[in-house]
Amino acid sequence: MVMEMTQEGKAREVLVIGGNRYFGKRLIARLLAAGDRVTVLNRGSSAPPPGAVHLIADRDDENALDSALGARTFDVVVDQVCYTPRQAAVARRVFAGRTRRYVLTSTVEVYAHEDSPARVREESVDPLGVEVDLALPWDDAEFLASHYGAGKRQAEAVFAAEPAFPHVAVRVAHVLGGADDFTGRLEHYASRIRAGEPITVPAVNHPATYIHVEEIADFLFWTVGQDFTGPVNAASHSTLTTHELCEAVAAHVPGGRTVFRETEAGAVSPLSFRRFYGMDNTRATRLGFAFGDAREWLGRAAGETLREAA
């Protein structure tokens, strides 16, 4: 086994906050396979794989988080479950002096207010220009669900406001693939295609950028070993349309029928968009990461997720 080493020649100390499912668990597996000393912190909902240290704490409870960490320090922290500026503020205070670098898993949804003919670059949303409002009802699940992108934007802003806190905000494209895809988005298409029911899309339906579940795990693992900071887009090459997604799904639904219904202002199916805010991956590419092409892995991703329907 080739072990990843720090500059001092020691195995890296990496903390993953969350990471119980989907690409988070894949990241942990990659870190362990590389010989990193991995600590996983969560609320105790599930134990990490063998070889990882398990810490239990509610990341919203600053005292509990501080107590669970004790005197531990880390080369890198990967935060998979920071959704609000309040959580970011707690993390920034608790991890100041405890880590050399903090990697926040952010989202393409920070760009949800954009509408550009070109793919958006990182500077389209400058965290230093984002207003932070800690008084909003971030603890309310319904509010948080409807303000997901805003919560991530403000979380990025909290970290960016402290220059002495080296951090990365990985803005993740829409993730597809894996039999453990819990989002139900492709199954939504499959169920409607199976029944011949219409799939509702905007009258002007824009394509989007995507990334395979294994590729984002690779990207986060690669990021752990780098030294860059600031926001970075993580997306496969090529955009995909709702029609292309449905075509890939339909290949695994024998006898189904794909019907689209357009709407000007009503509710639409998942992964259909009234705005274009596909991400430009130039920065990550120049830093040295090689992305795949979404059109090349889309069929495989649909098969992985819909294997029971195939």
Side-chain angles (χ1 to χ4, degrees):
M1 176 186 296
V2 177
M3 297 181 67
E4 294 286 344
M5 297 293 180
T6 65
Q7 290 180 346
E8 290 78 14
K10 300 178 182 178
R12 296 180 302 201
E13 295 282 354
V14 182
L15 172 68
V16 179
I17 305 176
N20 294 335
R21 60 181 180 175
Y22 211 33
F23 59 83
K25 69 181 184 182
R26 288 167 169 81
L27 168 63
I28 292 170
R30 283 160 171 75
L31 292 168
L32 289 170
D36 293 312
R37 288 196 286 265
V38 180
T39 300
V40 176
L41 186 145
N42 58 34
R43 290 178 295 183
S45 54
S46 62
V53 175
H54 191 194
L55 299 181
I56 298 176
D58 182 347
R59 59 98 33 82
D60 295 324
D61 184 332
E62 186 167 347
N63 291 332
L65 181 58
D66 189 69
S67 177
L69 292 169
R72 294 176 177 86
T73 60
F74 304 94
D75 296 299
V76 183
V77 174
V78 183
D79 192 343
Q80 295 278 79
V81 289
C82 182
Y83 302 112
T84 75
R86 289 184 195 166
Q87 292 175 328
V90 167
R92 201 183 77 182
R93 288 193 295 268
V94 170
F95 287 100
R98 274 195 171 102
T99 184
R100 299 178 181 178
R101 195 155 158 271
Y102 200 94
V103 178
L104 166 69
T105 302
S106 190
T107 174
V108 61
E109 295 304 325
V110 302
Y111 299 115
H113 62 291
E114 300 290 325
D115 189 1
S116 168
R119 297 196 198 189
V120 289
R121 297 195 174 193
E122 289 82 359
E123 56 267 27
S124 297
V125 174
D126 179 1
L128 293 175
V130 173
E131 182 179 351
V132 174
D133 189 347
L134 297 175
L136 290 173
W138 296 113
D139 295 331
D140 181 84
E142 186 174 340
F143 176 85
L144 182 57
S146 63
H147 293 77
Y148 175 69
K152 288 288 193 179
R153 274 197 306 275
Q154 293 191 30
E156 287 190 25
V158 168
F159 289 121
E162 178 47 76
F165 192 82
H167 80 286
V168 179
V170 178
R171 295 171 178 170
V172 182
H174 305 288
V175 183
L176 296 176
D180 55 337
D181 180 355
F182 63 91
T183 65
R185 295 174 299 192
L186 294 188
E187 180 52 40
H188 169 86
Y189 293 145
S191 64
R192 290 188 169 271
I193 292 170
R194 203 176 291 121
E197 297 176 348
I199 295 166
T200 306
V201 297
V204 179
N205 186 20
H206 292 280
T209 40
Y210 294 85
I211 193 165
H212 191 274
V213 63
E214 300 293 346
E215 187 171 38
I216 186 56
D218 287 340
F219 186 86
L220 289 169
F221 174 74
W222 171 80
T223 299
V224 166
Q226 304 301 306
D227 58 7
F228 65 87
T229 57
V232 62
N233 292 338
S236 298
H237 301 306
S238 295
T239 57
L240 299 172
T241 66
T242 307
H243 287 67
E244 287 174 304
L245 293 173
C246 289
E247 183 179 355
V249 169
H252 299 275
V253 186
R257 187 166 62 96
T258 306
V259 179
F260 291 100
R261 177 176 59 199
E262 294 183 352
T263 179
E264 290 288 347
V268 295
S269 295
L271 303 180
S272 54
F273 305 99
R274 289 190 167 90
R275 295 174 180 265
F276 179 68
Y277 50 101
M279 294 197 297
D280 183 301
N281 63 16
T282 300
R283 184 184 187 213
T285 300
R286 287 177 176 169
L287 286 167
F289 189 83
F291 290 101
D293 190 295
R295 288 199 174 96
E296 293 179 359
W297 54 252
L298 175 58
R300 171 167 55 92
E304 292 165 353
T305 303
L306 302 171
R307 59 181 182 177
E308 294 183 0

Short mmCIF file of all heavy atoms in Angstrom, two decimals, residues 44-81:
data_model
loop_
_atom_site.label_atom_id
_atom_site.label_comp_id
_atom_site.label_asym_id
_atom_site.label_seq_id
_atom_site.Cartn_x
_atom_site.Cartn_y
_atom_site.Cartn_z
N GLY A 44 -23.67 9.83 15.91
CA GLY A 44 -23.79 8.46 16.36
C GLY A 44 -24.79 7.65 15.58
O GLY A 44 -25.12 6.52 15.96
N SER A 45 -25.29 8.20 14.47
CA SER A 45 -26.30 7.51 13.68
C SER A 45 -25.75 6.25 13.04
O SER A 45 -26.50 5.29 12.82
CB SER A 45 -26.85 8.45 12.60
OG SER A 45 -25.79 8.99 11.82
N SER A 46 -24.48 6.24 12.71
CA SER A 46 -23.86 5.03 12.16
C SER A 46 -22.37 5.08 12.41
O SER A 46 -21.76 6.15 12.42
CB SER A 46 -24.15 4.91 10.65
OG SER A 46 -23.59 6.00 9.96
N ALA A 47 -21.80 3.91 12.61
CA ALA A 47 -20.36 3.81 12.87
C ALA A 47 -19.59 3.88 11.55
O ALA A 47 -20.08 3.43 10.51
CB ALA A 47 -20.05 2.51 13.59
N PRO A 48 -18.39 4.42 11.58
CA PRO A 48 -17.56 4.45 10.37
C PRO A 48 -17.01 3.06 10.09
O PRO A 48 -17.12 2.14 10.93
CB PRO A 48 -16.44 5.43 10.74
CG PRO A 48 -16.31 5.30 12.22
CD PRO A 48 -17.71 5.06 12.73
N PRO A 49 -16.40 2.86 8.94
CA PRO A 49 -15.83 1.55 8.61
C PRO A 49 -14.65 1.23 9.51
O PRO A 49 -14.08 2.13 10.15
CB PRO A 49 -15.40 1.70 7.15
CG PRO A 49 -15.21 3.17 6.96
CD PRO A 49 -16.22 3.83 7.84
N PRO A 50 -14.28 -0.05 9.60
CA PRO A 50 -13.12 -0.43 10.41
C PRO A 50 -11.88 0.34 9.98
O PRO A 50 -11.65 0.58 8.80
CB PRO A 50 -12.97 -1.93 10.10
CG PRO A 50 -14.33 -2.37 9.69
CD PRO A 50 -14.93 -1.21 8.97
N GLY A 51 -11.11 0.76 10.97
CA GLY A 51 -9.90 1.51 10.69
C GLY A 51 -10.03 2.99 10.97
O GLY A 51 -9.03 3.70 11.07
N ALA A 52 -11.26 3.49 11.07
CA ALA A 52 -11.49 4.90 11.36
C ALA A 52 -11.86 5.09 12.82
O ALA A 52 -12.52 4.24 13.42
CB ALA A 52 -12.61 5.45 10.47
N VAL A 53 -11.42 6.19 13.39
CA VAL A 53 -11.80 6.57 14.75
C VAL A 53 -13.17 7.23 14.69
O VAL A 53 -13.47 8.00 13.77
CB VAL A 53 -10.77 7.55 15.34
CG1 VAL A 53 -11.22 8.05 16.71
CG2 VAL A 53 -9.41 6.88 15.44
N HIS A 54 -14.01 6.92 15.67
CA HIS A 54 -15.37 7.45 15.68
C HIS A 54 -15.54 8.43 16.84
O HIS A 54 -15.35 8.06 18.01
CB HIS A 54 -16.38 6.32 15.81
CG HIS A 54 -17.80 6.74 15.57
ND1 HIS A 54 -18.89 5.95 15.91
CD2 HIS A 54 -18.32 7.87 15.00
CE1 HIS A 54 -20.00 6.58 15.57
NE2 HIS A 54 -19.69 7.73 15.02
N LEU A 55 -15.91 9.67 16.53
CA LEU A 55 -16.26 10.66 17.55
C LEU A 55 -17.74 10.98 17.40
O LEU A 55 -18.25 11.14 16.28
CB LEU A 55 -15.45 11.93 17.37
CG LEU A 55 -13.93 11.82 17.48
CD1 LEU A 55 -13.29 13.20 17.30
CD2 LEU A 55 -13.52 11.23 18.82
N ILE A 56 -18.43 11.09 18.52
CA ILE A 56 -19.87 11.35 18.50
C ILE A 56 -20.14 12.71 19.12
O ILE A 56 -19.75 12.99 20.26
CB ILE A 56 -20.63 10.26 19.27
CG1 ILE A 56 -20.43 8.90 18.59
CG2 ILE A 56 -22.12 10.60 19.33
CD1 ILE A 56 -21.07 7.74 19.33
N ALA A 57 -20.79 13.58 18.36
CA ALA A 57 -21.18 14.90 18.85
C ALA A 57 -22.17 15.51 17.87
O ALA A 57 -22.17 15.18 16.68
CB ALA A 57 -19.97 15.81 19.00
N ASP A 58 -23.00 16.40 18.36
CA ASP A 58 -23.88 17.20 17.52
C ASP A 58 -23.09 18.42 17.07
O ASP A 58 -22.71 19.26 17.89
CB ASP A 58 -25.11 17.62 18.32
CG ASP A 58 -26.11 18.42 17.49
OD1 ASP A 58 -25.76 18.86 16.37
OD2 ASP A 58 -27.24 18.62 17.96
N ARG A 59 -22.83 18.54 15.78
CA ARG A 59 -21.98 19.62 15.29
C ARG A 59 -22.61 20.99 15.52
O ARG A 59 -21.93 22.02 15.44
CB ARG A 59 -21.59 19.42 13.84
CG ARG A 59 -22.69 19.33 12.80
CD ARG A 59 -22.99 20.62 12.03
NE ARG A 59 -21.89 21.50 11.77
CZ ARG A 59 -21.01 21.37 10.77
NH1 ARG A 59 -21.10 20.37 9.92
NH2 ARG A 59 -20.05 22.26 10.62
N ASP A 60 -23.91 21.05 15.83
CA ASP A 60 -24.55 22.33 16.14
C ASP A 60 -24.30 22.77 17.59
O ASP A 60 -24.54 23.93 17.92
CB ASP A 60 -26.06 22.22 15.91
CG ASP A 60 -26.41 22.00 14.45
OD1 ASP A 60 -25.71 22.56 13.58
OD2 ASP A 60 -27.37 21.28 14.18
N ASP A 61 -23.86 21.85 18.41
CA ASP A 61 -23.61 22.13 19.83
C ASP A 61 -22.12 22.41 20.01
O ASP A 61 -21.29 21.50 20.03
CB ASP A 61 -24.04 20.93 20.67
CG ASP A 61 -23.92 21.17 22.17
OD1 ASP A 61 -23.07 21.97 22.58
OD2 ASP A 61 -24.67 20.52 22.92
N GLU A 62 -21.78 23.68 20.13
CA GLU A 62 -20.37 24.08 20.15
C GLU A 62 -19.61 23.44 21.30
O GLU A 62 -18.48 22.96 21.12
CB GLU A 62 -20.24 25.59 20.22
CG GLU A 62 -18.82 26.09 20.09
CD GLU A 62 -18.73 27.58 19.84
OE1 GLU A 62 -19.77 28.20 19.52
OE2 GLU A 62 -17.61 28.13 19.93
N ASN A 63 -20.19 23.42 22.48
CA ASN A 63 -19.50 22.83 23.64
C ASN A 63 -19.29 21.34 23.46
O ASN A 63 -18.22 20.81 23.77
CB ASN A 63 -20.29 23.11 24.92
CG ASN A 63 -20.26 24.57 25.32
OD1 ASN A 63 -19.31 25.28 25.02
ND2 ASN A 63 -21.31 25.01 25.99
N ALA A 64 -20.33 20.65 22.94
CA ALA A 64 -20.21 19.20 22.73
C ALA A 64 -19.17 18.89 21.67
O ALA A 64 -18.40 17.93 21.79
CB ALA A 64 -21.57 18.62 22.33
N LEU A 65 -19.14 19.70 20.61
CA LEU A 65 -18.17 19.50 19.54
C LEU A 65 -16.76 19.71 20.06
O LEU A 65 -15.86 18.90 19.81
CB LEU A 65 -18.48 20.45 18.39
CG LEU A 65 -17.58 20.38 17.16
CD1 LEU A 65 -17.57 18.99 16.56
CD2 LEU A 65 -18.03 21.41 16.12
N ASP A 66 -16.57 20.79 20.81
CA ASP A 66 -15.25 21.10 21.37
C ASP A 66 -14.80 19.99 22.32
O ASP A 66 -13.64 19.57 22.30
CB ASP A 66 -15.32 22.44 22.10
CG ASP A 66 -13.95 22.94 22.51
OD1 ASP A 66 -13.17 23.30 21.62
OD2 ASP A 66 -13.66 22.93 23.71
N SER A 67 -15.72 19.49 23.13
CA SER A 67 -15.39 18.44 24.09
C SER A 67 -15.04 17.14 23.38
O SER A 67 -14.09 16.44 23.77
CB SER A 67 -16.57 18.22 25.04
OG SER A 67 -16.32 17.17 25.94
N ALA A 68 -15.79 16.78 22.33
CA ALA A 68 -15.54 15.53 21.61
C ALA A 68 -14.16 15.55 20.94
O ALA A 68 -13.48 14.53 20.88
CB ALA A 68 -16.63 15.29 20.57
N LEU A 69 -13.76 16.70 20.45
CA LEU A 69 -12.46 16.80 19.77
C LEU A 69 -11.29 16.78 20.74
O LEU A 69 -10.21 16.28 20.41
CB LEU A 69 -12.41 18.09 18.95
CG LEU A 69 -13.35 18.14 17.74
CD1 LEU A 69 -13.42 19.54 17.18
CD2 LEU A 69 -12.90 17.15 16.66
N GLY A 70 -11.50 17.29 21.93
CA GLY A 70 -10.42 17.30 22.92
C GLY A 70 -9.21 18.05 22.40
O GLY A 70 -9.32 19.15 21.85
N ALA A 71 -8.05 17.42 22.53
CA ALA A 71 -6.80 18.06 22.10
C ALA A 71 -6.40 17.63 20.69
O ALA A 71 -5.29 17.95 20.24
CB ALA A 71 -5.69 17.71 23.07
N ARG A 72 -7.27 16.94 19.98
CA ARG A 72 -6.92 16.45 18.65
C ARG A 72 -6.71 17.59 17.66
O ARG A 72 -7.42 18.59 17.68
CB ARG A 72 -8.02 15.52 18.11
CG ARG A 72 -8.18 14.22 18.87
CD ARG A 72 -9.36 13.42 18.30
NE ARG A 72 -9.52 12.14 18.95
CZ ARG A 72 -10.22 11.95 20.08
NH1 ARG A 72 -10.82 12.99 20.66
NH2 ARG A 72 -10.32 10.74 20.61
N THR A 73 -5.76 17.40 16.77
CA THR A 73 -5.53 18.31 15.66
C THR A 73 -5.49 17.50 14.37
O THR A 73 -5.24 16.29 14.39
CB THR A 73 -4.22 19.10 15.82
OG1 THR A 73 -3.12 18.19 15.88
CG2 THR A 73 -4.26 19.96 17.08
N PHE A 74 -5.71 18.18 13.25
CA PHE A 74 -5.83 17.49 11.97
C PHE A 74 -5.10 18.26 10.87
O PHE A 74 -5.02 19.49 10.91
CB PHE A 74 -7.31 17.33 11.59
CG PHE A 74 -8.13 16.64 12.63
CD1 PHE A 74 -8.83 17.38 13.58
CD2 PHE A 74 -8.17 15.26 12.69
CE1 PHE A 74 -9.57 16.75 14.56
CE2 PHE A 74 -8.92 14.62 13.67
CZ PHE A 74 -9.61 15.37 14.61
N ASP A 75 -4.59 17.51 9.92
CA ASP A 75 -4.02 18.15 8.73
C ASP A 75 -5.13 18.74 7.88
O ASP A 75 -5.00 19.85 7.35
CB ASP A 75 -3.21 17.13 7.92
CG ASP A 75 -2.01 16.62 8.68
OD1 ASP A 75 -1.15 17.45 9.02
OD2 ASP A 75 -1.94 15.41 8.94
N VAL A 76 -6.22 18.00 7.73
CA VAL A 76 -7.34 18.44 6.91
C VAL A 76 -8.65 18.02 7.57
O VAL A 76 -8.75 16.91 8.10
CB VAL A 76 -7.29 17.85 5.48
CG1 VAL A 76 -8.43 18.38 4.62
CG2 VAL A 76 -5.95 18.15 4.81
N VAL A 77 -9.64 18.90 7.54
CA VAL A 77 -11.00 18.58 7.92
C VAL A 77 -11.87 18.65 6.67
O VAL A 77 -11.79 19.62 5.91
CB VAL A 77 -11.55 19.56 8.98
CG1 VAL A 77 -13.03 19.29 9.25
CG2 VAL A 77 -10.75 19.46 10.27
N VAL A 78 -12.67 17.62 6.43
CA VAL A 78 -13.62 17.63 5.32
C VAL A 78 -15.02 17.67 5.92
O VAL A 78 -15.45 16.71 6.56
CB VAL A 78 -13.47 16.40 4.40
CG1 VAL A 78 -14.44 16.51 3.22
CG2 VAL A 78 -12.04 16.27 3.91
N ASP A 79 -15.73 18.77 5.71
CA ASP A 79 -17.05 18.96 6.30
C ASP A 79 -18.12 18.67 5.27
O ASP A 79 -18.36 19.45 4.35
CB ASP A 79 -17.17 20.40 6.81
CG ASP A 79 -18.39 20.60 7.70
OD1 ASP A 79 -19.30 19.76 7.68
OD2 ASP A 79 -18.41 21.63 8.42
N GLN A 80 -18.79 17.53 5.44
CA GLN A 80 -19.80 17.09 4.48
C GLN A 80 -21.19 17.60 4.82
O GLN A 80 -22.11 17.45 4.01
CB GLN A 80 -19.84 15.54 4.45
CG GLN A 80 -18.56 14.90 3.94
CD GLN A 80 -18.51 14.89 2.44
OE1 GLN A 80 -18.21 15.91 1.81
NE2 GLN A 80 -18.83 13.78 1.84
N VAL A 81 -21.38 18.14 6.02
CA VAL A 81 -22.74 18.42 6.47
C VAL A 81 -22.89 19.83 7.06
O VAL A 81 -23.60 20.04 8.04
CB VAL A 81 -23.23 17.36 7.48
CG1 VAL A 81 -23.47 16.03 6.79
CG2 VAL A 81 -22.23 17.19 8.63
#
